[in-house]
Each structure stands twice: as structure tokens, then as C-alpha cells.
Amino acid sequence: MAHKPIESEARDPHVPVTSSISSGENTVWADVTSLLQAASQGLQEGELIHGDNFNLFAAMSALEIMDPKMDSGIVCKYYSVDEAIENGAAPVPLSFDKTIDVQCTIDIMDHLLSCEATWHKGHSLAQTVFSCIYLLRLDRTSSHAILHSYCRLIRATCKAVISVVSDARTHEEEDLFTMTYGLPLNGDGDGKCLSMLNAVEETISRQLRACKAPSSKKRVLEDIEPLQTNLDLEEGYCKALLCRLRFRKHFYHVLMCMRRPQGRGLELARKHIASCLSELECIYKSAEFLRSSACGNCEDGIEDKTTASGCEPIGFDASLNSRLSAPTPPRAIRILNWKKAIEYFEKLLHHLDIICSYSLDPSLEAVLRFVVQFQKPQPDLVARAHLQLLLVQDGKLYGRDPIFAVICRAAALPEVVKNHDIQKNEFVVQLGQLVINLLKILCTNAAWQRRKLGKILQDWRVIYVQLELAFKTEFGEMSSITNEENVCVKLSKHILIWVEEQTYWIASRFLMLGFELELYSPSEYCMVYWYIYVVLIKLAEKHHLKMVMSNDTGKRKGKKKRDSPKDVARDYQIPPAVLFLQCHISLAEGLTMLLAALRNENRVFQSLGPFNTEHEIFIQHFELLQQACIPDHISYLSFKDTTAYAQFSTLVMYNYFKDALRLAKELRSSFSNDPDRMAELRKIEQVAEHNGIALNVICRVGALDPSLKVSFEFNHHPYFATAVVRRS
């Protein structure tokens, strides 16, 4: 066992030497503190006390004595909740002075808010929210109406949040978020927690009205007992308590409304979200009053405090539950300060409001765009869990649209086929499950999302082959089919094209997330943009083919005897959605060739690392795509052949950035009612314009000029880089 040198204050002198752990029949506990202190004096930094048989392998599983991160048996102030209560760590009432009692109650509320935000960020529930001794023994607070009702609602809120995250299963592997460690989350009477809090709120509201009433009316209100004894502080304390109680109430309502099936509670949830934000603003404003009224009791450094007043809250001890973290060592947790906790809840409520304001569009394409857009500001776990549960309920989209109907709409099939028997096909059912899994994956964090998207690419490729074989087996060759079977063949073709389109969409998302996660170095940008280019080409091709087939189906229903030349010309116009993809294709191709020319002529941005060849780096980044043959016949040799002869002279002759800029400007009118796409078009214009200028500067000054330095930044678009040219 490894030992860390022990400082003289390692053991609290007030804690008795006798251990709380009882000795067994063959064991006797002995205090070895003095022995370890003596040994530590002869140790240098990094040295260990170890036996003769100690080796490097044993060191990997060794524990450092007295290290809070490693030693779960480290001496703490109290060994049990009962011991803490006996020593007065969580008194009830908090103080016999009513003014101090109210101050302490508000401090507990504020610290619990900070603990809750810290828990939401991925720390253990046991060492954050349930470090509150009052929550661990809630029955003791029954005589303190304000604290009791608040703690009950905190407990009910924690239970609701755990339920959402557990049902969505979006939490990370190593995340302790949903582990409850046997904590008292289920209590009798929690169903009445709102009515209890409402009663307390009404009482404090009457007290506030009484202290604000003019002197003529005060005689009528004299029977209302004030909140505390200092009447000059009555109004401030009433307001501070009310906004905290009301925030807690409205936040619980938000969680309950958002869990209603089929999005029925979203409109009401938005009203509660607005109330939550309003109360958070009042909580923030109450800080000045609370600091001034607690003057002399609070410590310096208010920015790091977990309470608005700056005072240390009573009734908390994070070490009490540290042993509940077994089998892992207890984590050293730093609770978010009060201001950051408020900022976290404001951000969370903003993201929940975005979810609630979503129109529940039945189009899968619209759903995917919404989720990708929602993920851009990197929402936290609780918001992502709510989004997933809204999207997928009982195996249906929003709990109302069958997945086959969603696929039919996405594949541009007529509405009448949504009840067709083809949906009973085994592989069509599996396809529906893949769509559900995709929606769930898109609600995970960026790292997990990319990892899982890479893995399911193989599943989408396999389901395409299985569907193709199944449809051929069922419907036979095209020449020998009846009219009824002909409908099934058309149906199968639509589905197969859509499956390919969706596969390439997943591949493009997989590649783009690499930029968000900063997985690519500048020397690898060339191959990454080339792969994005070839994937987007296939995506645009499949999307266009789907739209053409859909138009052909529509035309046959109302076919004219003779098409005019104008109609023919209109039919061959490229749809705006395909041209939108073409903007990205032009940017990706332009960046590929720009980087390739810099590599070929300037000898910069080359993969010359000491550990991996460029071919090995290519395999590392795109192995999952290569295994799924996305796209077909694409390899490292294809990349080398495309970029080997790139030169600035040819790049200027055909400027891809000009194409992107021209298309983006032309598409403005097509997407004038779509703010997200309009924003994307503006970003494309900026990247294309700046890169076009950079290309002209390089060509005019001369690519071989040694004083010319080119770098790439993501200041206009998260995925498409902007070239910056400077003289050294």
C-alpha cells in the first residue's frame, strides 16, 4: 500500500481516536497516525513506503492514505448522520433568533441550488444535493415549515430528473448522475409537496403584504405574525424567500409538464419556464440585500461562495456520503458557486424553452435539422434527456406518428402507402428501429454521438443490402410483375434510395463532429475536407434522385397529354435543397484543393509526424467509413490521385469559392422563411468570400514567397475553415 506524507493537521484533534468501526473477533483496530507521521518525515516527495514484494503492477491499484481522492477511509469530521446531528451540525430550529433562522434558511436554499447544478454537471448525488443533513433526515424538519416544504420539493425534483435521465439513457458511461446509492429519494407525503409549499408561500405573501400595508390598514393585519423580529428587514427577507420558493415550484412544474405524453404539456411548460426565469432574476437581485443584512457574518471572497449572502450554510457535510461512492474512490467535488449555479439554470431553462417551442414537425428531415441545431450550443444532460423523451415515445415519433409513416414521408412516398403491408417486412421493421436509435444517438453528447454514429453506419449499410435482397426475393424481376406488385417495387425503390441518402447524411454528421471535438490537426484538414466532399456528392445525388422520383410519381397522377417546353425546363431545375448541399460541396472541394496546393507548392500542412504515416492517419480517421464502404471504391489512393497535382494556377482558373458564394446568394430567396438556413447561407458567404480573397493574395504575391504564412481559423463557420494570410 502506498502512503502519502501526512501533514500535522491530517487528523482533527476534536475527533476521538477510537474508531467508529467495531473490531471483529480476530481484528483489533489501532491508531497508526503517529507511526505514519514519523515515517513521513523521512520521505521525499514522490517516495513510497512499501513491502519487499511491491512492484509497478501493484502500484496501479494502490491507495494513497490521507488522499481525499483515493482513501475512502480518510478521517472526516463525522462518521455518520446521527453523529453529525448529535454534535449539532443540523439544528432545528436553525436558530432561536428568528432573523438568523431566516438568514440560515435562505443560505441552505442557495447552497442546495449550487449543489443541484453541480449534480447536473455530472457529479455524485450523494456528495452534492444529499450532502445536506436535513435531506437525509427530512422528518426532523417537520416543525420548520419553510425548510421542510422546500426540502421535500428538492427531493421530488431530484427524483423527477433521475427518472428523465434514466428513461432517456443519455448519460455518459462514467457518469454517476443516475446512481442514488440507497439515498432517501422516496418519502411518504412527497405527492403533497406542492400543496405544502403553496401553503408556506401564501403565509409569507400575507406577511409581505402586512409589512407593506399603510399604517391605517396595519391594525387589520396585526394578527399576522411577522416572519422575523427585525421589521426593517421584513420586506427584504419575505421577497428573498418568496422568489426562491416560487422558482422551486415552477421548476418542478416544468419537469412535470414536459413529461406529459405526445408533447401535450409543452405550452404550459413554457409559461412555467418564463416564471422560473423571472424568479431567478429576483433571486439574483436579492443578493445585495442579503449581503448587507448579513454584514459581519459572511467571509471575504463572495465570488467563490455558494450563497447570495456569502455566509457558509449550516447542515451540510459532503464527507458523510463519501463511502457511498464505492467501489470507486470518493471524488473531490468543488461545488459551483452561487452565480454559476444561477447561470447554469438560466442556460438549462433556455434550452428547455427551445424544446417546448418546437412545432413537432412530422418530417424526419426537419427533426434531424432541429436536433443538430439544438446541439450546437452544447446543451447539458438534463435538456438532452428531455429532448430524446419528446422525440421517441412508445416506439413512435412524439408518441403519435408510427415510424413507418415517418419513413414513408421521409422517402417522399404518397400518404396512402403508410398502411401498406410492406411495413410488416422483417427488415422494414428493423429499419424503423434504426431510425429510433438514430434519434436517440443524436441526443447524446458530441463525443458519444460521433462514436455511436460511426458504429451504426455499418448497420445502415447492412440493412440496405438486406432490404434489397428481400425486395428482389418478394417481388421478383421487373419484367414479370403485376400492377399490384409494381406498386410494391416502386415503394421498395423509394425506400432503398432514402436509406442510402440517410446513410450518407450520418456519414457527413460523423465527419463534421470531428471539427467540433477538435479531432483533426491542420495537417489532416486536406484529407478530411476531401472525404467530406466525396460524401456530400453522394448525399446530394441521392437526395436529388429521391426528389425526382417523387415528382415523377406526382406527375403520373395528373399527367397531361402533352408537356410544354416550359414545363420540361421547370422539371429539370435543380431543387434548392440540392443546391444548398452544393454550397457545402463547393466549399469542401475548394478547401481540399487549396490545402493540396499549399502542400504541393509550399510544402506546408503535410503529415510528416514521427509516429504515423499519412496513410495510417487516413485509416485512423476513416476506418469506420471504409468498413461500411462509404462511399464505394474510395480509398487513400483515391485521395492521393485527386490532390497530387493540385496547383494554384489551376485553382484560380476554376475558383470553387466563387461558386459557393454565387449559389449562397442565389438561394437567399428560396429560404427567406427559414432562419436557420439563412444563417447558414450567411456563414457560407463569409467563408467563401474570405477564402476567395486569400487565394487571390497567395497567387498575386507568389506561393513560394517564404515570408507568406497561411493559417486556418474557424471564425466564420464551425466546420469550414477560413484561410488567413500573413507576412512573417
Side-chain angles (χ1 to χ4, degrees):
M1 180 178 291
H3 302 289
K4 181 180 178 181
I6 303 167
E7 303 296 334
S8 59
E9 70 269 21
R11 184 174 65 85
D12 190 333
H14 300 294
V15 178
V17 172
T18 56
S19 172
S20 300
I21 309 172
S22 58
S23 302
E25 292 181 4
N26 300 317
T27 56
V28 178
W29 291 97
D31 183 7
V32 295
T33 304
S34 57
L35 175 64
L36 292 174
Q37 283 177 338
S40 69
Q41 292 172 3
L43 288 173
Q44 298 298 317
E45 186 69 31
E47 288 185 334
L48 305 172
I49 296 175
H50 60 83
D52 295 335
N53 62 344
F54 190 80
N55 53 37
L56 182 62
F57 178 78
M60 299 300 292
S61 55
L63 296 179
E64 283 191 68
I65 289 179
M66 308 310 292
D67 184 342
K69 293 182 180 179
M70 297 293 290
D71 187 0
S72 59
I74 190 171
V75 173
C76 50
K77 194 170 185 179
Y78 305 111
Y79 287 96
S80 68
V81 178
D82 292 331
E83 185 182 340
I85 292 170
E86 286 171 12
N87 282 274
V92 179
L94 282 66
S95 173
F96 291 105
D97 184 323
K98 286 192 174 182
T99 303
I100 295 174
D101 185 272
V102 172
Q103 286 176 350
C104 292
T105 303
I106 293 171
D107 288 340
I108 290 170
M109 291 176 172
D110 287 345
H111 190 76
L112 277 171
L113 188 76
S114 296
C115 287
E116 191 177 4
T118 308
W119 171 50
H120 283 199
K121 286 288 190 178
H123 288 289
S124 162
L125 181 66
Q127 290 180 268
T128 52
V129 179
F130 276 84
S131 65
C132 179
I133 299 169
Y134 294 108
L135 273 173
L136 294 169
R137 293 288 189 273
L138 197 51
D139 54 305
R140 293 181 61 251
T141 64
S142 56
S143 60
H144 197 297
I146 298 173
L147 185 60
H148 187 68
S149 60
Y150 190 87
C151 286
R152 273 199 181 278
L153 199 51
I154 278 274
R155 184 166 70 178
T157 301
C158 290
K159 188 177 176 182
V161 170
I162 288 172
S163 173
V164 168
V165 177
S166 297
D167 291 348
R169 302 184 68 182
T170 55
H171 55 288
E172 292 75 16
E173 264 185 10
E174 48 286 316
D175 203 342
L176 303 175
F177 193 92
T178 56
M179 297 178 70
T180 57
Y181 309 100
L183 294 167
L185 274 170
N186 299 306
D188 295 334
D190 274 3
K192 299 177 182 177
C193 59
L194 277 175
S195 58
M196 291 173 63
L197 189 131
N198 285 333
V200 170
E201 181 191 348
E202 179 56 35
T203 301
I204 299 173
S205 296
R206 287 202 304 270
Q207 290 166 331
L208 177 60
R209 287 195 296 271
C211 74
K212 291 172 71 176
S215 55
S216 58
K217 292 185 178 180
K218 280 193 175 179
R219 294 190 196 127
V220 182
L221 300 170
E222 277 179 359
D223 58 328
I224 298 175
E225 185 181 352
L227 183 66
Q228 44 80 54
T229 52
N230 190 338
L231 296 182
D232 293 334
L233 303 176
E234 181 77 356
E235 183 178 345
Y237 278 128
C238 284
K239 286 181 176 178
L241 278 173
L242 281 174
C243 58
R244 285 160 173 77
L245 293 170
R246 286 167 178 166
F247 167 77
R248 185 55 56 195
K249 176 181 70 174
H250 288 299
F251 185 60
Y252 184 72
H253 276 303
V254 169
L255 298 176
M256 294 296 102
C257 290
M258 291 191 73
R259 286 307 302 269
R260 292 183 187 176
Q262 299 181 16
R264 290 178 188 140
L266 297 184
E267 190 176 343
L268 183 57
R270 289 199 77 185
K271 294 178 181 177
H272 287 296
I273 288 170
S275 298
C276 279
L277 290 169
S278 175
E279 298 303 336
L280 275 177
E281 189 178 352
C282 294
I283 291 172
Y284 190 79
K285 288 178 180 177
S286 69
E288 187 177 349
F289 164 77
L290 293 170
R291 280 198 297 270
S292 62
S293 61
C295 185
N297 298 326
C298 57
E299 299 176 17
D300 295 333
I302 191 74
E303 292 78 12
D304 296 328
K305 297 301 179 181
T306 58
T307 61
S309 67
C311 299
E312 286 297 320
I314 62 171
F316 289 86
D317 189 341
S319 64
L320 278 175
N321 294 323
S322 61
R323 291 177 182 80
L324 292 178
S325 300
T328 61
R331 297 183 179 183
I333 295 175
R334 185 179 179 86
I335 302 295
L336 289 176
N337 67 48
W338 179 73
K339 285 185 178 179
K340 285 186 178 177
I342 287 181
E343 287 170 5
Y344 166 78
F345 277 101
E346 285 175 341
K347 178 186 173 186
L348 172 62
L349 290 163
H350 172 67
H351 289 146
L352 293 179
D353 189 54
I354 292 172
I355 296 170
C356 294
S357 60
Y358 181 51
S359 62
L360 305 190
D361 194 320
S363 161
L364 183 62
E365 185 182 354
V367 173
L368 296 179
R369 277 208 314 272
F370 172 76
V371 177
V372 169
Q373 193 68 26
F374 179 78
Q375 287 275 34
K376 283 183 179 178
Q378 299 180 342
D380 288 298
L381 176 64
V382 176
R384 289 188 279 108
H386 275 97
L387 176 60
Q388 191 205 294
L389 291 182
L390 172 65
L391 296 178
V392 181
Q393 299 175 26
D394 302 323
K396 297 178 180 179
L397 183 65
Y398 314 125
R400 69 182 190 206
D401 297 329
I403 292 299
F404 182 71
V406 173
I407 292 171
C408 287
R409 202 176 292 112
L413 288 164
E415 194 71 18
V416 292
V417 302
K418 66 181 182 181
N419 296 319
H420 197 279
D421 284 345
I422 199 172
Q423 66 181 299
K424 297 175 184 176
N425 181 286
E426 176 190 354
F427 299 114
V428 173
V429 173
Q430 287 182 22
L431 177 62
Q433 190 57 50
L434 281 180
V435 173
I436 290 172
N437 290 343
L438 174 62
L439 290 173
K440 290 181 177 180
I441 288 169
L442 291 173
C443 293
T444 58
N445 66 44
W448 263 57
Q449 188 182 149
R450 188 177 190 273
R451 191 166 134 200
K452 291 187 176 184
L453 286 177
K455 290 182 177 180
I456 66 162
L457 277 170
Q458 192 81 26
D459 298 333
W460 279 82
R461 204 61 166 166
V462 168
I463 202 70
Y464 174 83
V465 175
Q466 290 175 328
L467 284 168
E468 191 177 35
L469 290 172
F471 291 151
K472 279 184 179 177
T473 304
E474 192 166 346
F475 307 128
E477 296 300 321
M478 288 287 291
S479 57
S480 60
I481 55 177
T482 63
N483 286 336
E484 186 178 343
E485 288 172 331
N486 189 38
V487 174
C488 295
V489 170
K490 290 170 188 171
L491 245 169
S492 63
K493 281 187 176 181
H494 274 275
I495 291 173
L496 287 172
I497 288 169
W498 176 77
V499 170
E500 281 195 294
E501 179 199 1
Q502 201 57 51
T503 305
Y504 288 116
W505 184 90
I506 294 168
S508 68
R509 178 72 180 150
F510 171 82
L511 290 167
M512 301 295 187
L513 280 170
F515 288 106
E516 191 175 315
L517 295 166
E518 300 180 358
L519 300 180
Y520 311 130
S521 68
S523 61
E524 297 159 5
Y525 288 167
C526 187
M527 67 172 70
V528 172
Y529 283 121
W530 175 81
Y531 219 112
I532 289 173
Y533 162 71
V534 295
V535 166
L536 289 179
I537 283 280
K538 299 297 288 184
L539 176 59
E541 177 189 314
K542 299 303 175 185
H543 188 72
H544 195 189
L545 184 57
K546 179 187 76 175
M547 298 184 82
V548 168
M549 287 184 66
S550 175
N551 290 338
D552 287 346
T553 306
K555 276 198 301 179
R556 287 193 186 94
K557 288 183 180 178
K559 193 175 180 183
K560 300 176 186 177
K561 290 184 180 179
R562 209 166 173 177
D563 289 332
S564 68
K566 287 184 180 178
D567 293 329
V568 173
R570 188 169 58 247
D571 290 340
Y572 282 97
Q573 283 183 346
I574 300 175
V578 177
L579 291 175
F580 187 80
L581 281 171
Q582 184 60 50
C583 289
H584 291 115
I585 291 168
S586 296
L587 281 186
E589 189 174 12
L591 282 164
T592 301
M593 303 314 288
L594 174 58
L595 284 155
L598 286 167
R599 285 154 60 102
N600 295 338
E601 295 189 26
N602 290 38
R603 301 297 174 186
V604 293
F605 299 110
Q606 293 181 319
S607 301
L608 301 173
F611 304 111
N612 298 96
T613 64
E614 188 177 65
H615 189 190
E616 288 170 335
I617 293 170
F618 185 93
I619 295 299
Q620 288 166 1
H621 280 310
F622 312 124
E623 185 177 14
L624 293 172
L625 297 168
Q626 294 278 290
Q627 287 175 353
C629 300
I630 298 172
D632 288 319
H633 315 301
I634 290 296
S635 66
Y636 174 70
L637 290 177
S638 311
F639 162 66
K640 292 301 287 182
D641 289 343
T642 306
T643 58
Y645 303 103
Q647 293 180 334
F648 284 107
S649 56
T650 54
L651 197 55
V652 172
M653 288 171 61
Y654 189 78
N655 194 327
Y656 303 100
F657 300 120
K658 282 184 180 178
D659 283 353
L661 185 60
R662 175 181 55 80
L663 281 172
K665 288 180 176 178
E666 289 175 0
L667 285 170
R668 284 180 185 176
S669 58
S670 301
F671 298 110
S672 56
N673 295 324
D674 188 336
D676 290 338
R677 288 198 175 184
M678 284 295 289
E680 179 67 12
L681 287 172
R682 283 192 292 272
K683 291 176 185 176
I684 290 170
E685 287 177 32
Q686 288 178 314
V687 173
E689 187 174 355
H690 282 81
N691 282 338
I693 294 169
L695 177 60
N696 290 333
V697 169
I698 294 169
C699 293
R700 189 173 64 249
V701 175
L704 298 177
D705 186 341
S707 67
L708 210 63
K709 301 296 179 186
V710 183
S711 60
F712 287 87
E713 298 176 358
F714 293 89
N715 47 2
H716 297 299
H717 197 285
Y719 310 133
F720 294 103
T722 303
V724 179
V725 184
R726 296 185 180 93
R727 280 192 181 277
S728 57

